[in-house]
Amino acid sequence: MPDRRAALRSGVALAAGTLAAGCSATGAAAHPVAASRTSVSPSANPAVKPAAAPAPRRFPQQPAQITHGPRDRPRIALTFHGQGDPAVARALLGEAEKGGARVTVLAVGSWLDEHPDIARRILDGGHDLGNHTLRHLDINAMSEADAEAEIRGCADRLRRLTGSIGTWFRPSRSPSASSLVAGVARRVGYPHVLSYDVDSLDYTSPGAPAVTRQVIGGVRDGSVVSLHFGYADTVAALPAVLEELGRRGLRAVTTTELLS
């Protein structure tokens, strides 16, 4: 009898231990999973799915290659070559929004591969988003097939991330596109090539005051300014640029708004 009672006590203790372990493994661990599923279900609801980004538009009064907008309205477009440290990109977007500006970002496709969330961040801030080729190589020196692969490669990434190929195309490593590249861009879906009439030279890292002087010294009504993500000088210069633009009565808008 003592042996039987001891065996029964041992069996009850073992069962209790197993139940306790089961609560720890399945109960405590299961609750976070259930909570996680609950938390992500709203994003799966089509009603809250982000809308597709705007598609390219044709502006009948504008040439195939656009360097500036109308000269009779006090508006300019700040356009950024999109690559580099995403923290710097977010800082630039934040400074622009703080100053009431909306900008145009021409993103490099390989950069979007590395930082896919930045595409939606740009659009959610009310900015234009466009195509700056897949790998930022000298596109004007490429064959037609290679140029098309560069433009389509970036367009495909933009479409996958935003539902659109973006609003603009800008060639890489050149302010303007060759006739071959411009034709390929039209075939991909971009009616215009976006160039610029003011080069900030921020990629030379001349210091924030020099970037400010270069921009402010060149802009006038309708100007399109070339700037870059990835440079600390640009972040530091942007508040002063926006302040001086405001003092001169010039408003920084997206390229789409500049031409509309």
Side-chain angles (χ1 to χ4, degrees):
M1 284 296 292
D3 290 342
R4 187 162 177 251
R5 289 194 189 101
L8 287 171
R9 282 196 300 270
S10 176
V12 170
L14 180 61
T18 302
L19 287 171
C23 288
S24 175
T26 61
H31 289 305
V33 174
S36 174
R37 287 176 181 161
T38 301
S39 67
V40 300
S41 59
S43 64
N45 186 342
V48 296
K49 186 177 180 181
R57 285 174 52 187
R58 184 172 179 274
F59 293 87
Q61 304 304 316
Q62 295 295 330
Q65 299 210 45
I66 296 170
T67 57
H68 62 81
R71 294 299 195 189
D72 58 351
R73 289 181 284 183
R75 302 188 298 191
I76 62 104
L78 301 176
T79 67
F80 290 84
H81 301 239
Q83 62 178 346
D85 185 347
V88 176
R90 290 189 179 91
L92 276 165
L93 293 171
E95 288 294 342
E97 290 156 10
K98 194 185 305 180
R102 294 296 177 266
V103 304
T104 301
V105 180
L106 294 312
V108 175
S110 58
W111 184 65
L112 294 175
D113 284 340
E114 295 174 4
H115 313 289
D117 59 312
I118 199 74
R120 184 52 58 180
R121 167 65 184 88
I122 292 164
L123 292 172
D124 287 349
H127 311 288
D128 273 0
L129 177 62
N131 180 328
H132 197 35
T133 75
L134 179 60
R135 295 174 295 164
H136 202 261
L137 304 175
D138 184 358
I139 194 166
N140 285 340
M142 293 181 177
S143 68
E144 184 172 354
D146 288 345
E148 182 161 351
E150 282 292 309
I151 299 171
R152 285 195 187 278
C154 187
D156 289 345
R157 282 152 177 80
L158 287 165
R159 184 186 291 109
R160 184 179 69 244
L161 293 170
T162 71
S164 163
I165 65 171
T167 47
W168 299 102
F169 165 72
R170 173 172 287 170
S172 47
R173 303 294 179 96
S174 176
S176 59
S178 67
S179 57
L180 183 149
V181 170
V184 170
R186 283 193 298 273
R187 189 160 67 235
V188 174
Y190 301 98
H192 301 279
V193 172
L194 180 60
S195 186
Y196 46 87
D197 65 328
V198 178
D199 189 346
S200 70
L201 300 179
D202 59 347
Y203 58 90
T204 65
S205 298
V211 172
T212 302
R213 287 194 301 271
Q214 183 72 11
V215 173
I216 296 303
V219 293
R220 58 191 178 110
D221 290 2
S223 282
V224 176
V225 183
S226 170
L227 296 139
H228 293 75
F229 281 172
Y231 293 89
D233 288 349
T234 314
V235 181
L238 193 55
V241 167
L242 294 176
E243 182 179 357
E244 182 60 21
L245 289 174
R247 194 184 67 78
R248 292 171 52 174
L250 292 170
R251 189 160 65 95
V253 298
T254 65
T255 306
T256 299
E257 186 177 354
L258 180 73
L259 301 173
S260 297

Coordinates of all heavy atoms in Angstrom, one line a residue, residues 65 85 93 119 133 135-136 138 228:
Q65 N 11.3 67.4 -73.0 CA 12.2 67.5 -71.9 C 12.0 68.8 -71.2 O 12.2 69.9 -71.8 CB 13.7 67.4 -72.4 CG 14.0 66.0 -73.1 CD 15.4 65.6 -73.0 OE1 16.0 65.6 -71.9 NE2 16.0 65.1 -74.1
D85 N 21.8 57.5 -47.6 CA 21.3 57.1 -46.3 C 19.9 57.5 -46.1 O 19.5 58.6 -46.2 CB 22.2 57.8 -45.2 CG 21.9 57.4 -43.8 OD1 20.9 56.8 -43.6 OD2 22.7 57.8 -42.9
L93 N 13.1 65.3 -45.9 CA 11.6 65.3 -46.0 C 11.0 66.1 -44.8 O 10.1 66.9 -45.0 CB 11.0 63.9 -46.2 CG 11.4 63.2 -47.4 CD1 11.0 61.7 -47.3 CD2 10.8 63.8 -48.7
A119 N 9.4 54.7 -50.2 CA 8.5 55.2 -51.2 C 7.2 55.7 -50.7 O 6.7 56.7 -51.0 CB 8.3 54.0 -52.2
T133 N 16.1 55.6 -62.8 CA 16.7 54.4 -63.3 C 17.0 53.4 -62.2 O 16.9 53.7 -61.0 CB 18.0 54.7 -64.1 OG1 19.1 55.0 -63.2 CG2 17.8 55.8 -65.1
R135 N 19.9 51.5 -61.6 CA 21.2 51.4 -60.9 C 22.0 52.7 -61.0 O 23.2 52.8 -60.5 CB 22.0 50.3 -61.5 CG 21.4 48.9 -61.3 CD 22.2 47.9 -62.1 NE 22.1 48.1 -63.5 CZ 22.9 47.5 -64.4 NH1 23.9 46.7 -64.0 NH2 22.7 47.7 -65.7
H136 N 21.4 53.8 -61.5 CA 22.1 55.1 -61.6 C 23.4 55.0 -62.3 O 24.5 55.5 -61.9 CB 22.3 55.7 -60.2 CG 22.5 57.2 -60.2 ND1 23.7 57.8 -60.1 CD2 21.6 58.2 -60.3 CE1 23.6 59.1 -60.2 NE2 22.3 59.4 -60.3
D138 N 25.4 55.5 -66.4 CA 25.3 56.5 -67.5 C 24.4 56.0 -68.5 O 24.8 55.3 -69.5 CB 26.7 56.7 -68.0 CG 26.8 57.8 -69.1 OD1 25.7 58.3 -69.4 OD2 27.9 58.0 -69.6
H228 N 20.1 66.6 -53.9 CA 20.4 65.1 -53.7 C 20.0 64.8 -52.3 O 20.3 65.5 -51.3 CB 21.8 64.8 -54.0 CG 22.2 64.9 -55.4 ND1 22.4 66.1 -56.0 CD2 22.4 64.0 -56.3 CE1 22.8 65.9 -57.3 NE2 22.8 64.6 -57.5

